[in-house]
Amino acid sequence: MGVISIPSINIEYPILEKETTQSLKIAIVYLYGPGANKVGNTVFQGHNYRNGLFFSNLHKLKDGDKIYITDTTGTKITYEVYRNFTAKATDTSFYKRDTAWKREITLSTCTTEYTDRTIILAREV
């Protein structure tokens, strides 16, 4: 589906279209929404291995940090973090949010304790 790059936490990984146990072990996966760099909110999920790999350091992102998504057409869109919070693992209420016809992404991973989820919201710059 594309590539995600987050320089502030030093990661760059492929994004796979199908969420499976195996795909989550090797990449970031598409979870919900219109797709990479499409108008609306697209949700991506990655493992927190607590070792710096994949989304392990997602909790360190701050407002204003940049996230880059390059889709399969080669289009690279810059997104800027505007919210970082913790949610219950079963809470998906922020997936279907009004983006006012703009591109937004949601990044999701388990917290270090694996009880909740770290959620990052970012919008196109």
Side-chain angles (χ1 to χ4, degrees):
M1 177 173 261
V3 174
I4 185 170
S5 174
I6 310 174
S8 63
I9 57 173
N10 197 32
I11 68 166
E12 182 170 294
Y13 291 107
I15 301 169
L16 301 179
E17 287 184 69
K18 273 192 138 171
E19 181 200 8
T20 66
T21 302
Q22 186 58 30
S23 65
L24 268 169
K25 289 180 182 178
I26 61 170
I28 304 306
V29 297
Y30 161 78
L31 187 63
Y32 173 86
N37 294 337
K38 305 279 188 212
V39 172
N41 179 46
T42 300
V43 181
F44 299 106
Q45 187 170 0
H47 264 309
N48 176 356
Y49 286 113
R50 297 189 285 178
N51 62 2
L53 298 176
F54 296 97
F55 279 175
S56 296
N57 290 320
L58 209 60
H59 65 281
K60 295 179 179 179
L61 290 178
K62 302 178 296 302
D63 289 359
D65 283 346
K66 302 293 191 270
I67 300 168
Y68 303 94
I69 304 286
T70 304
D71 60 32
T72 55
T73 69
T75 302
K76 183 177 185 177
I77 302 287
T78 302
Y79 297 86
E80 186 175 272
V81 173
Y82 69 88
R83 188 163 176 217
N84 178 337
F85 64 99
T86 302
K88 294 291 180 200
T90 56
D91 183 5
T92 59
S93 62
F94 43 86
Y95 287 11
K96 295 180 183 181
R97 63 180 186 274
D98 181 13
T99 65
W101 293 98
K102 301 201 189 277
R103 292 178 182 95
E104 291 198 18
I105 57 174
T106 299
L107 308 182
S108 174
T109 194
C110 292
T111 58
T112 303
E113 301 80 27
Y114 300 117
T115 55
D116 295 317
R117 296 216 168 268
T118 296
I119 305 296
I120 302 295
L121 305 183
R123 62 175 59 103
E124 181 181 14
V125 175

